[in-house]
Amino acid sequence: MINQIAVILFGVTILYIATTSRISAFVIILSVQGIMLFLASIAQTETLKLTHALFIAFETIVVKAAILPLFIRHIIKTMGIKRETDPSLGSFMMLVLSTIIMSLSFVLSSILKQAGSNINVLNFSVSLSAVIIGMLIITTRKKIISHVMGFLVLENGAFMMSLSLAPGVPIVVEAGVLFDVMIVVFLMGIFVNNMKSAFEDSDVSKLTRLSD
């Protein structure tokens, strides 16, 4: 029951993230997603060892719900970014596309289930939607900080998918993935600051004017 509620709320946060232009709201939702991932994870503690469960708690609550959002909030405050301006797709179109992606994900999951797969239709559908919508956010937003957050949505979806498909993945593998994610986010944070210094903006479309 806890797992289902957490996954449904996680799906709602994906739709909200896809449609909002307020960067601060984006950060709050990332924290909420970290908490939802934790709740969805502890629902599977029967199949997890104590050390693995504790590591997941650290990964979701400490890193995904606290450290990364706080780091992004610091970047936003430093750069004075408040909204995603002039995205390639408006909020209504993003809502329509996100709804279609979710619907198709449920259809695909149902087909796989009927074909004999042991996947959880709800978990797999929502996690697959998060991965695709994360990529959609990256390709349709112009602020580079939005790209960072789209990447984190994608990674959260991949985390949920791995949890539902292979809950017995060794801790060392998860630790490696988590370390990679943190390095990517911190490097992109440094890049954002340098881009702000060079262009006085964080719009990636300005990079098209770079030359030798």
Side-chain angles (χ1 to χ4, degrees):
M1 186 66 178
I2 294 177
N3 175 59
Q4 292 176 336
I5 294 174
V7 173
I8 291 172
L9 291 177
F10 183 84
V12 173
T13 64
I14 297 170
L15 290 177
Y16 184 79
I17 280 179
T19 56
T20 187
S21 61
R22 294 192 302 127
I23 303 296
S24 57
F26 216 141
V27 178
I28 293 172
I29 293 299
L30 282 178
S31 293
V32 173
Q33 282 196 350
I35 297 171
M36 294 302 108
L37 288 175
F38 170 70
L39 293 176
S41 301
I42 62 171
Q44 302 183 36
T45 49
E46 293 180 355
T47 60
L48 297 175
K49 295 180 179 178
L50 177 60
T51 52
H52 197 171
L54 291 174
F55 179 79
I56 288 179
F58 169 78
E59 184 176 7
T60 54
I61 296 296
V62 177
V63 177
K64 292 180 180 292
I67 293 178
L68 294 181
L70 285 174
F71 178 69
I72 294 175
R73 184 181 293 279
H74 171 71
I75 295 173
I76 292 171
K77 187 176 181 180
T78 302
M79 299 183 65
I81 304 172
K82 294 183 179 179
R83 286 183 177 276
E84 171 68 43
T85 55
D86 194 25
S88 300
L89 293 176
S91 297
F92 178 74
M93 186 56 68
M94 284 293 290
L95 178 61
V96 172
L97 284 176
S98 300
T99 304
I100 292 173
I101 290 169
M102 280 196 164
S103 300
L104 292 177
S105 297
F106 271 97
V107 172
L108 176 62
S109 301
S110 299
I111 293 174
L112 292 175
K113 185 72 174 180
Q114 292 175 0
S117 173
N118 61 351
I119 61 170
N120 181 307
V121 173
L122 178 62
N123 288 31
F124 188 79
S125 303
V126 172
S127 58
L128 180 60
S129 300
V131 171
I132 298 174
I133 292 174
M135 290 190 286
L136 184 65
I137 290 171
I138 292 173
T139 54
T140 57
R141 304 296 174 90
K142 293 184 178 179
K143 296 290 185 185
I144 193 167
I145 195 68
S146 297
H147 292 203
V148 177
M149 290 188 274
F151 170 75
L152 290 175
V153 171
L154 187 158
E155 200 280 330
N156 284 344
F159 176 86
M160 178 174 285
M161 187 178 292
S162 67
L163 195 66
S164 60
L165 294 178
V169 173
I171 292 178
V172 65
V173 176
E174 291 190 6
V177 174
L178 179 63
F179 183 72
D180 287 344
V181 171
M182 293 180 68
I183 291 297
V184 168
V185 172
F186 289 137
L187 286 178
M188 291 188 78
I190 295 171
F191 178 71
V192 170
N193 280 325
N194 289 336
M195 186 177 174
K196 175 72 174 178
S197 301
F199 297 98
E200 297 184 351
D201 199 351
S202 59
D203 190 333
V204 293
S205 62
K206 296 182 182 300
L207 296 177
T208 60
R209 297 201 299 266
L210 288 177
S211 60
D212 294 336

